[in-house]
Amino acid sequence: MKGFRFPGEIISYPVWAYHRFALSPADVEDLLAERGVIVSRDAVRLWGNRFGRHFASCIRRDRPRPNDKWHLDEVVISIRGKKHWLWRAIEANGDVLDLLVQTRRSGNAATQFFTRLIALFGAPRVVMTDKLRIYIKPIKALAPDADHRAHKGFNNAIEGSHRPPPPKREKVFGRFKSHRQAQRFLHAHDPINLIFRPRRYSLIATSYRHARADAFSLWADYTTDMAA
């Protein structure tokens, strides 16, 4: 590929492995070395950041218009031993709408996150949140016609969807130096991970294999776009 030592087909593989399995750059470096491709972990990190955005943009561009019923939630994460908050929204079918890493759990943070969502997708019909009161003001101001339902039991869809086992979550976030670096990773990670993890528990084996084949076909098309 122009400007790089390797063609797009080789570069796209570490990008896929980095985001599909949330591996460290060092892990991906070893996978490439086993295949005879010698690059540094810094190169893997560069490819993951630069081309991860490309693949994520392609996935977002081609996905259907999201459902107008949203689930919003926030969860505490640790970055270099400091507490941060991961704000996340999914739609009724389980697809990730957006996420935002913030240093605070405040009304300003909730407003900033909800403003991003409105700018991307327009106003929702229904918004499901937990009982955190800081959601009330931005939803009333930015989506006054939306049906806001605040109840811990109503938000199980997102409660279960964005919380990997704590040791795995801490391992992923522990390697970042700042919330901006985590934000950059997650902006690409969630869309890429989504197309390769099509809720396997709800599919029979044949359907899952078809979905996986479709995902690899899309990945090949996006790799071609990357090299253009």
Side-chain angles (χ1 to χ4, degrees), residues 43-152:
V44 172
R45 185 180 295 108
L46 172 66
W47 293 349
N49 290 336
R50 176 169 179 173
F51 296 110
R53 291 195 298 268
H54 162 77
F55 286 104
S57 296
C58 290
I59 293 167
R60 290 188 174 97
R61 177 195 67 200
D62 292 344
R63 71 183 181 185
R65 182 170 179 80
N67 193 289
D68 58 2
K69 182 179 179 180
W70 300 353
H71 296 255
L72 277 60
D73 196 15
E74 72 293 329
V75 62
V76 65
I77 58 175
S78 177
I79 299 176
R80 300 198 75 179
K82 294 183 179 180
K83 183 185 293 187
H84 292 71
W85 293 92
L86 174 61
W87 301 76
R88 192 163 178 263
I90 68 171
E91 47 103 84
N93 296 320
D95 292 342
V96 178
L97 295 173
D98 195 19
L99 50 85
L100 184 64
V101 180
Q102 295 275 48
T103 56
R104 295 183 178 181
R105 188 193 196 196
S106 64
N108 288 338
T111 299
Q112 183 180 352
F113 182 50
F114 200 69
T115 300
R116 282 167 57 104
L117 290 171
I118 295 292
L120 289 170
F121 305 106
R125 177 180 56 87
V126 178
V127 182
M128 313 284 285
T129 71
D130 55 25
K131 300 183 76 173
L132 190 65
R133 295 184 62 83
I134 58 178
Y135 284 115
I136 296 175
K137 186 175 180 179
I139 292 175
K140 282 186 175 180
L142 299 170
D145 296 329
D147 179 9
H148 179 203
R149 304 173 188 174
H151 190 283
K152 190 72 173 178

Side-chain angles (χ1 to χ4, degrees), residues 13-38:
Y13 174 79
V15 177
W16 171 76
Y18 182 61
H19 287 290
R20 169 61 181 85
F21 303 106
L23 299 175
S24 71
D27 292 334
V28 179
E29 178 189 8
D30 289 343
L31 287 176
L32 291 172
E34 190 275 332
R35 289 160 173 77
V37 179
I38 307 303

Side-chain angles (χ1 to χ4, degrees), residues 15 28 41 72 88-89 122 177 186 191-192 196 204-205 212 216 220:
V15 177
V28 179
R41 66 190 64 184
L72 277 60
R88 192 163 178 263
K177 297 179 180 179
L186 289 170
I192 292 171
F196 287 102
I204 62 173
R212 184 173 58 191
F216 280 121

Side-chain angles (χ1 to χ4, degrees), residues 1 10 13 43 58 91 95 109 117 150 158 181 183 198 210 222:
M1 195 169 69
I10 290 181
Y13 174 79
C58 290
E91 47 103 84
D95 292 342
L117 290 171
I158 194 167
Q181 189 180 11
Q183 176 73 39
H210 283 310
Y222 298 154

Side-chain angles (χ1 to χ4, degrees), residues 1-8 11 43 46-47 50-51 226-227:
M1 195 169 69
K2 186 176 181 180
F4 292 86
R5 288 191 296 135
F6 299 100
I11 293 176
L46 172 66
W47 293 349
R50 176 169 179 173
F51 296 110
M226 179 181 73

